[in-house]
Amino acid sequence: MIAVLFDLDGTLLDSIDALVKAWIRVGKKLKIDIDPNLVREFIGASREVLTAKILGRADLIQKFSKIFPYEYNKIWRNEVKPYPEAHAVLKTLREMNVKTAIVSSNFRNTLECILNYFNFMPLIDTFVSNDDVEKGKPEPHMALEAIKRLGVHIDKCFVVGDTLFDVEMGKRAGLYSILLVRKPVSLAQSKYLPDYVISSLRDIVSVIKNG
């Protein structure tokens, strides 16, 4: 049985701008200046990495964990939308009997609300949030947890994401890694390289059929 693990933000959802906006609101609450470009650079990583890199203080993770979901929940319904091909690709994979999961650094409650709101739940077999594992991306825990829930073998699994955090998570878990390039990405200094690089979600179907 083949399985595909999808990142959410920037991969299935056009949500990066909304996430940046929520981060800026968090900064105002904490009286910390937030660099939008730094947020974009680290979106997709675990909240431990995010708070350390963006806020500059890992000790603020508890305050961040209370403020961020509140601020993001106020805006995502109006400012976030699935990429046009997202549902069609998931439907095609289901028709191919491919197991699917979403592995996201979002808070579990937020993630579940988003997946229901945008009708992703009927198209996937499971989901894993940052809250479901000891360590988030780029550690391999989320991918390994998804594989466990899907009941599939590692050598038949692919990870799809738009950041190098996704690539690293997949490679460290022993999976095939697919990098979806929606913006310029430099691989020159990356320790973990993707097995495939695609420019559209639709290309995943070809990778699965030919890989």
Side-chain angles (χ1 to χ4, degrees):
M1 179 69 71
I2 297 174
V4 180
L5 316 183
F6 286 89
D7 169 56
L8 183 66
D9 296 305
T11 300
L12 296 174
L13 277 189
D14 187 356
S15 55
I16 304 303
D17 289 343
L19 289 167
V20 172
K21 182 180 288 188
W23 264 101
I24 291 173
R25 291 186 176 189
V26 170
K28 289 180 178 178
K29 289 283 182 68
L30 297 176
K31 295 180 170 52
I32 296 175
D33 289 332
I34 300 296
D35 181 352
N37 292 324
L38 194 61
V39 175
R40 293 179 186 278
E41 181 180 348
F42 284 97
I43 281 178
S46 68
R47 70 189 60 144
E48 292 80 10
V49 172
L50 284 165
T51 51
K53 296 292 186 179
I54 298 173
L55 298 178
R57 290 174 53 186
D59 63 301
L60 288 173
I61 188 169
Q62 295 300 325
K63 289 185 177 179
F64 166 80
S65 296
K66 291 180 179 180
I67 298 172
F68 185 87
Y70 174 75
E71 294 298 336
Y72 190 51
N73 285 338
K74 290 193 296 186
I75 63 176
W76 67 258
R77 287 174 180 82
N78 294 322
E79 301 191 24
V80 169
K81 60 183 179 181
Y83 284 104
E85 67 275 24
H87 288 88
V89 169
L90 290 172
K91 288 177 182 176
T92 299
L93 292 178
R94 174 139 294 197
E95 291 168 357
M96 294 167 59
N97 294 317
V98 174
K99 293 279 190 177
T100 55
I102 289 177
V103 289
S104 170
S105 295
N106 274 289
F107 292 84
R108 182 177 179 83
N109 288 341
T110 301
L111 177 59
E112 191 166 2
C113 286
I114 289 173
L115 296 181
N116 279 310
Y117 185 83
F118 290 116
N119 296 316
F120 282 123
M121 282 296 199
L123 301 175
I124 63 173
D125 295 288
T126 191
F127 65 91
V128 179
S129 73
N130 204 147
D131 293 320
D132 296 320
V133 293
E134 181 181 352
K135 295 181 179 180
K137 301 176 187 179
E139 301 290 336
H141 298 60
M142 294 176 71
L144 294 173
E145 177 63 22
I147 292 169
K148 178 181 177 182
R149 295 183 184 186
L150 292 172
V152 295
H153 294 292
I154 286 178
D155 61 353
K156 296 292 186 179
C157 293
F158 298 79
V159 171
V160 182
D162 66 313
T163 74
L164 295 179
F165 301 117
D166 301 305
V167 171
E168 181 174 344
M169 176 189 68
K171 299 300 288 186
R172 290 173 67 180
L175 315 183
Y176 294 106
S177 178
I178 303 174
L179 178 63
L180 174 62
V181 179
R182 295 194 184 278
K183 60 183 180 181
V185 177
S186 175
L187 301 176
Q189 297 182 338
S190 177
K191 181 179 178 181
Y192 298 91
L193 298 177
D195 296 290
Y196 305 91
V197 178
I198 60 177
S199 58
S200 168
L201 277 174
R202 296 186 185 278
D203 296 334
I204 294 168
V205 176
S206 297
V207 171
I208 300 302
K209 287 181 175 180
N210 301 323

